[in-house]
Amino acid sequence: MLTVGDTFPAFALTAVKGGAEGLAGPGKSFEEITSDSNPGKWKIVFFWPKDFTFVCPTEIAAFGKLNGEFADRDAVVYGVSCDSEFVHLNWRVHNADIRDLPFPMLADVKRELATALGVLDKQAGVPLRVTYIVDPEGTIQHVTVNGLNVGRNPQETVRILDALQTDELCPCNWNKGEEALKPQELFDKAA
């Protein structure tokens, strides 16, 4: 699996647009998202195993509710599964929790991106619940992986993005606005 310090792979995938545009219907609801889309932005790329499941919409909706917080931090959110753009669209239309989703749902139908990242579950052949934070230069700065049966905490992704954007030493449970660690001060106190 690709991890921190690796370059996020190049990709070009069809997506259901975020927001109301994503509900306009086939032909109007789709767009291509590539690794070159949204240059200069941080990217939150998260995978879920399958559409029309039980845990997945809880996570997707939670990321959707935080979309404004990610945007405030100069980050875009991409949700990805191996389902087609038509399945994504149908799911959005028929699931009230994700109907108003503000970010695009990418269709990795050929499993090219999931395979390049090494995030497919070996038994099920679907993506694990993986979240990547990618910096504006395309370098992976953070990765978390959950098994297929356990949802993740998108608020923690916001906290980690905040810490990464400080470019400082952030202690355990650090939150935006708190002091970062100052190694020299800690050394002086110990001396």
Side-chain angles (χ1 to χ4, degrees):
M1 177 182 344
L2 294 187
T3 191
V4 174
D6 291 331
T7 299
F8 199 83
F11 67 91
L13 299 172
T14 301
V16 174
K17 297 175 184 176
E21 288 182 85
L23 298 174
K28 297 177 183 175
S29 296
F30 305 146
E31 65 180 329
E32 183 178 71
I33 302 283
T34 74
S35 43
D36 295 326
S37 298
N38 298 295
K41 300 271 189 188
W42 287 79
K43 293 178 178 73
I44 310 303
V45 183
F46 76 99
F47 286 79
W48 64 88
K50 294 179 183 177
D51 290 3
F52 291 98
T53 56
F54 303 103
V55 176
C56 299
T58 66
E59 295 180 306
I60 296 166
F63 272 105
K65 288 175 184 166
L66 295 173
N67 195 66
E69 291 193 44
F70 288 117
D72 290 347
R73 290 157 173 83
D74 209 25
V76 295
V77 177
Y78 299 148
V80 189
S81 84
C82 295
D83 296 283
S84 76
E85 63 274 20
F86 296 98
V87 175
H88 287 337
L89 176 58
N90 193 25
W91 196 27
R92 274 199 56 198
V93 167
H94 291 95
N95 186 308
D97 293 335
I98 62 172
R99 184 172 294 125
D100 297 324
L101 196 64
F103 58 80
M105 298 172 81
L106 284 64
D108 188 18
V109 178
K110 295 180 184 177
R111 292 169 164 70
E112 293 169 328
L113 182 55
T115 298
L117 288 164
V119 301
L120 290 174
D121 181 83
K122 291 176 180 159
Q123 275 72 46
V126 296
L128 295 163
R129 297 183 190 284
V130 179
T131 306
Y132 283 96
I133 299 177
V134 183
D135 71 21
E137 289 75 43
T139 303
I140 298 167
Q141 295 298 329
H142 174 77
V143 117
T144 58
V145 184
N146 288 19
L148 299 178
N149 64 331
V150 177
R152 67 203 112 185
N153 180 350
Q155 187 64 53
E156 176 67 357
T157 306
V158 173
R159 188 192 75 79
I160 291 169
L161 177 62
D162 284 339
L164 288 168
Q165 289 180 336
T166 69
D167 204 27
E168 295 187 53
L169 295 175
C170 297
C172 176
N173 297 322
W174 176 92
N175 285 293
K176 190 173 186 172
E178 295 177 358
E179 284 288 318
L181 296 174
K182 307 288 187 231
Q184 189 59 48
E185 290 175 16
L186 295 171
F187 180 77
D188 290 345
K189 284 182 183 177

